[in-house]
Amino acid sequence: MLKRLPILALLSGLFGAAGLKADTPYGGSASFVHVSGTQYKVQATFFRNCRTVPFSGTMRARLVSSCTTLNITLTRSGIRNASQRCAGAVTCNPGNSISSVDGFEAHTYEATIDFAQAPYASLLSSTCCQVTFFAIRPGRAPGITSLQNPAANGMGLSAVLQTCNLSAFSNGNSSAEIHTDFPFTIPASQTAALSFQARDADGDSLVYLLTPALDSNTFSKSYVSGFNFTSPITPYCLSGSTCPAAPSANPPRGFFLSRSTGDLVFQPAFGGETGVVVVQIWEYRKLPSGSYTFVGFSSHERQLAVTGSTGNNAPSLNPAASYTLCLNEKFCFRVKASDVADTRSDTTRLGWSDDIRGAVMRIVDSSAREREVEFCWTPDSNAAQKSFHYFSVRASDNRCPLPLYTRRTYTFSILPKPDTRMRFSKHSGSRLFYEISNPS
């Protein structure tokens, strides 16, 4: 059933950020990056609103196993623009300074550790196989409406490396990476089709899970009545319904995250809410036996503020779909971006993932206002070694200063091509024996 909260006129969660005096990240990520051998980088990225106080150049973190706990310091290695704004818009300029615009930037912190060297070697043993990395910040933005006392007790994000399960592999493990930034604002009463889809450098199979927000002590935060980690923003729902997720409905009902693709689909019911969506990406590696083993996970938190009507409609794409392809046979399909606007100023723009080796993508007509991308692929024997392949398309409009976008993921599975064999033999009495078989 739908619920209404007392709505702050314009939440300080985004537009009222000026004046915040504490370190108030608007989401972040925690991950492991394999360097070589027993060396890893532990890496944390946090998002800062340009109106808030600058972030410091270092931050606290912990490494925890069942053997011991180590406190470490991460050093900032880079800052990049992460604004949901038109190209060329002025934001956070200069970087890490207070400005009057609602831009965002991503601050990345890291440290290099070696599990074969002190003190990090103390984390592992034959019975201590799992190392957890906790990235810690002093607080969250106070305008979050789904969490009780959101600014209290800090913010935590975790990543896990399962080292014993990696003993059969020589290349270690790097966490899956999300390469597309999330928006920080979305309009009410419109479908939000976003995605946490990630790339995995090791080719691991990924599973996406909604999880609770953590404080700096790695305890789960308490949620305001009516909210929880599986529904941190009020979604559209039929009156009186318990609201099971129906992402393909028009409009979509409930709050839906695809476990296989990371696509997030819902329609915010009310403006004035701000929630945090936390997703863990679990990695499973295929063993020579054909079974899969858990090797780690990364965590990703994104803060979403729901606005009232903006006078702009987000573009739409073909609904997410699954296709079954045959080995060594060419397959093509098209994805079109549609937008109800009827002016050239709202021309759709398309981008896509290029993770499928050998696939060819092109814009069908670059002069069209509503553009279309064609995907063509002939899967080879290497492609058949993975259970599923994913092609993700991102469509954005050109409405400034705050364009809207939609992202959808399309799934492919590969069937082996039938290996038909024919055999002829001559039997007694001049009879010809003809046999057709398919060994596979």
Side-chain angles (χ1 to χ4, degrees):
M1 178 179 291
L2 291 178
K3 54 188 179 302
R4 289 188 179 274
L5 297 175
I7 296 177
L8 304 176
L10 282 175
L11 289 173
S12 61
L14 190 67
F15 298 108
L20 293 179
K21 302 302 182 185
D23 183 329
T24 54
Y26 284 67
S29 300
S31 60
F32 282 91
V33 180
H34 184 233
V35 179
S36 64
T38 55
Q39 280 195 336
Y40 282 81
K41 285 183 180 179
V42 286
Q43 196 169 79
T45 297
F46 289 91
F47 297 100
R48 173 186 167 268
N49 187 301
C50 299
R51 294 186 174 192
T52 62
V53 297
F55 284 178
S56 64
T58 59
M59 61 169 285
R60 295 183 299 131
R62 290 197 297 270
L63 293 170
V64 179
S65 75
S66 55
C67 284
T68 191
T69 296
L70 296 177
N71 294 312
I72 62 173
T73 299
L74 308 184
T75 301
R76 185 168 53 215
S77 59
I79 304 173
R80 62 174 177 82
N81 179 34
S83 299
Q84 178 193 1
R85 301 178 69 84
C86 298
V90 177
T91 174
C92 293
N93 187 19
N96 203 31
S97 62
I98 298 176
S99 68
S100 60
V101 298
D102 280 305
F104 290 85
E105 57 188 13
H107 292 236
T108 297
Y109 298 81
E110 61 186 36
T112 300
I113 62 175
D114 190 336
F115 288 118
Q117 303 293 326
Y120 309 109
S122 63
L123 289 160
L124 300 178
S125 74
S126 60
T127 56
C128 298
C129 292
Q130 183 166 292
V131 178
T132 303
F133 163 52
F134 289 111
I136 303 162
R137 302 300 286 190
R140 286 182 174 87
I144 297 169
T145 55
S146 60
L147 298 178
Q148 294 183 14
N149 199 2
N153 300 322
M155 170 186 179
L157 286 169
S158 63
V160 160
L161 184 68
Q162 175 54 268
T163 58
C164 288
N165 289 353
L166 287 168
S167 60
F169 307 100
S170 60
N171 57 337
N173 183 56
S174 290
S175 301
E177 293 184 82
I178 297 175
H179 287 268
T180 300
D181 284 327
F182 246 57
F184 292 91
T185 60
I186 51 176
S189 303
Q190 287 195 45
T191 297
L194 312 172
S195 188
F196 283 88
Q197 194 198 47
R199 299 174 181 174
D200 191 273
D202 308 303
D204 297 328
S205 293
L206 305 178
V207 176
Y208 301 80
L209 302 171
L210 289 166
T211 60
L214 302 179
D215 64 20
S216 59
N217 295 313
T218 67
F219 297 124
S220 296
K221 293 284 291 184
S222 296
Y223 285 78
V224 173
S225 178
F227 294 100
N228 56 57
F229 68 89
T230 63
S231 188
I233 292 173
T234 307
Y236 169 79
C237 190
L238 297 176
S239 179
S241 169
T242 56
C243 215
S248 300
N250 186 18
R253 298 191 299 273
F255 197 88
F256 174 78
L257 176 78
S258 169
R259 288 169 58 94
S260 59
T261 68
D263 281 5
L264 181 68
V265 181
F266 67 104
Q267 179 164 299
F270 307 121
E273 292 185 356
T274 297
V276 291
V277 183
V278 186
V279 170
Q280 287 181 355
I281 305 178
W282 287 49
E283 303 158 76
Y284 293 87
R285 190 161 301 178
K286 192 173 185 178
L287 296 169
S289 64
S291 61
Y292 287 82
T293 185
F294 171 73
V295 293
F297 71 71
S298 55
S299 294
H300 308 268
E301 179 176 315
R302 300 294 185 267
Q303 182 171 316
L304 290 174
V306 184
T307 67
S309 174
T310 63
N312 183 27
N313 293 287
S316 62
L317 292 165
N318 304 16
S322 299
Y323 300 91
T324 300
L325 314 186
C326 287
L327 195 65
N328 298 321
E329 290 188 5
K330 186 176 182 179
F331 170 81
C332 294
F333 85 116
R334 293 182 177 184
V335 179
K336 184 176 181 179
S338 301
D339 196 302
V340 297
D342 58 359
T343 64
R344 299 290 293 186
S345 63
D346 218 16
T347 300
T348 57
R349 299 177 178 178
L350 288 175
W352 53 81
S353 60
D354 56 359
D355 301 337
I356 300 180
R357 187 171 60 182
V360 176
M361 288 75 77
R362 69 180 183 93
I363 297 293
V364 176
D365 180 2
S366 59
S367 64
R369 186 182 70 83
E370 296 183 325
R371 293 176 183 170
E372 190 173 27
V373 58
E374 182 182 64
F375 169 95
C376 288
W377 185 35
T378 304
D380 59 18
S381 56
N382 290 325
Q385 296 178 23
K386 288 189 66 173
S387 299
F388 299 99
H389 299 263
Y390 303 99
F391 173 58
S392 180
V393 179
R394 181 183 188 271
S396 61
D397 61 21
N398 198 32
R399 185 66 63 90
C400 293
L402 197 65
L404 299 177
Y405 82 80
T406 295
R407 192 171 173 192
R408 298 282 190 182
T409 302
Y410 307 91
T411 305
F412 309 104
S413 58
I414 313 298
L415 289 179
K417 194 170 184 178
D419 183 15
T420 303
R421 300 180 184 179
M422 296 181 290
R423 183 169 65 90
F424 297 89
S425 60
K426 186 177 181 181
H427 286 210
S428 59
S430 299
R431 291 180 300 169
L432 186 65
F433 182 77
Y434 177 45
E435 181 182 30
I436 300 177
S437 64
N438 186 353
S440 61

